[in-house]
Amino acid sequence: MACNSTTDQPQNANITSKSFGTLPSGEEVTQYIMTNNQGMEMSVITYGGIITSLTAPDKAGKYEDIVLGFDNLEGYLQDGVPYFGALIGRYGNRIAKGKFTLDSTEYELAINNIGNHLHGGLKGFDKVNWSAKEVEYADGVALELTYLSADGEEGYPGNLETKVTYQLGNDNTLLIDYMATTDKKTVVNLTQHSYFNLSAMKEDVLNHQLMVNADHFLPVDSTLIPTGELRPVEGTPFNFTEMKKVGADVNQENQQLTYGLGYDHCWVLNEGAGKMDLAAKAYEPNSGRTLEVYTSEPAIQVYTGNFLDGTLTGKGGTVYNKRTGLCLETQHFPDSPNQPEFPSTELNPGEKYESQTKFVFGIRE
C-alpha cells in the first residue's frame, strides 16, 4: 500500500485555510489545516466536517498521515463512500426499519442500509456543508463547526442547533466536543467516523493490537440491529479486555462475525456514560504508534473496514482494500429509540446534548 507522508519540525500552533472545491449546489467547501506546536497536522473540510488527513509521529519521529480519505472533493462526492472522516448525525449507527416513536408520534426515516436507517439517512451530517471558524484554545488550536438541522430534515423532529469543536492539542491529542439543542423533542446520537491506520496505510489493520474497555457487547441480527442482549465478551472473539491483534479471531466461525463480515459491533463500556474514561487502546508495532480513546459516551462501535473492497482509491493512489481502516466510533447504543432498556438518546427542549471524545496519539519504542 502507498502512504502519504510528511515530516514536520516543531513550530507555532496555527490554522490556515484554503478552498477545497465547490459542491454541485455552488457552495464553496473550505479546508482548514490545523497544526500544533509539535508539527502534528490535521486537515478538516466544511463538507461533512470531514477530517481529510491527520499526521502522527512514528518511533523514529516521522509524521505520517494515519486516516483514510481523498486528495480532492470529488473523491468524497462519489457514490458509496463509507463516511471517511465524517461527522455523523443526527443519529450515528442504525435505527431499525427507519422508524421510532416519541410521545405517541411515529417518525419515518430513510431506509438506506439492509432495511434500516443508518448514520442520519440519505443526507446526514456527513453530507452537509458546515459553518466553521477558528476559536481560542490555550493549549493548541481549535475549529468550531456549526449546523442547523431543520425540523423534519431526514424525517427527524425539531430544529437541531449543532456545534462540534475539534481541539488539536500541543500534546498530540484531539478532543472532539459535541453540543446540540432542540426546540422539539427528538433523538440525537453524534459521532466521528475516521478510519484509522496507524501504519500509515503501509498494511491493513489486522496486525494492530487493540484493547476495548468493555466486558459486554451488543449482539446483532442479520441486519446488524442489536437484539437487546448485553452479551459477555469472555470466551468469544469479542474479548478485547487485554491487548490482542485485531486479526487474531476475526475469521473465526461465529454467527456474529458472519453477520458483520468481521467486527462491526457496539461494545458496552465498563464505566458507562458521563465522565471521560478510557474506552479503547490501539498499537501498531512496526511504527510504534499508539492511540488511546477516552469518552463520556456509554459505548464504542468497533468497525474493521469489512466492506471496503478495493474499488476506492484514496490519497496518494492508495487502494482501500478490505480491513485497511479501523473505526472507533464513540456513541450511544444503536437503535436506542426502539429499545427503551438502552440508555436514552432523547433530547428535550431546554436540555443540552453534550458529549466529548479524546484521541491521544503516542509512541511505544
Side-chain angles (χ1 to χ4, degrees), residues 253-265:
E253 285 192 22
N254 178 280
Q255 186 181 61
Q256 288 299 307
L257 293 175
T258 299
Y259 285 159
L261 298 182
Y263 298 115
D264 190 8
H265 294 74

Side-chain angles (χ1 to χ4, degrees), residues 170-185:
N170 292 328
D171 55 355
N172 286 0
T173 62
L174 169 60
L175 178 67
I176 307 176
D177 187 273
Y178 305 87
M179 192 276 288
T181 58
T182 184
D183 61 1
K184 185 188 295 185
K185 189 172 185 177

Side-chain angles (χ1 to χ4, degrees), residues 12 21 28 62-63 90 138-139 184 201 240 252 262 305 316 334:
N12 292 328
E28 184 176 10
K62 184 178 183 182
Y63 281 76
R90 290 190 188 190
D139 298 316
K184 185 188 295 185
M201 283 63 83
F240 284 92
Q252 275 193 23

Side-chain angles (χ1 to χ4, degrees), residues 210-249:
L210 179 67
M211 187 282 292
V212 182
N213 187 19
D215 294 332
H216 297 81
F217 78 105
L218 301 181
V220 295
D221 65 19
S222 61
T223 70
L224 304 180
I225 293 293
T227 63
E229 177 190 358
L230 274 63
R231 184 176 295 176
V233 300
E234 186 174 356
T236 78
F238 295 82
N239 189 353
F240 284 92
T241 53
E242 296 182 357
M243 294 292 274
K244 180 179 76 173
K245 282 188 178 181
V246 169
D249 299 321

Side-chain angles (χ1 to χ4, degrees), residues 10-21:
Q11 55 191 290
N12 292 328
N14 68 88
I15 298 181
T16 60
S17 63
K18 62 181 181 180
S19 175
F20 197 71

Side-chain angles (χ1 to χ4, degrees), residues 22 71 98 213 364:
T22 305
D71 289 319
N213 187 19
R364 188 190 300 178

Side-chain angles (χ1 to χ4, degrees), residues 62-82:
K62 184 178 183 182
Y63 281 76
E64 295 179 293
D65 191 0
I66 58 166
V67 295
L68 277 59
F70 299 100
D71 289 319
N72 52 51
L73 181 61
E74 289 69 31
Y76 293 101
L77 298 180
Q78 299 174 84
D79 290 337
V81 173

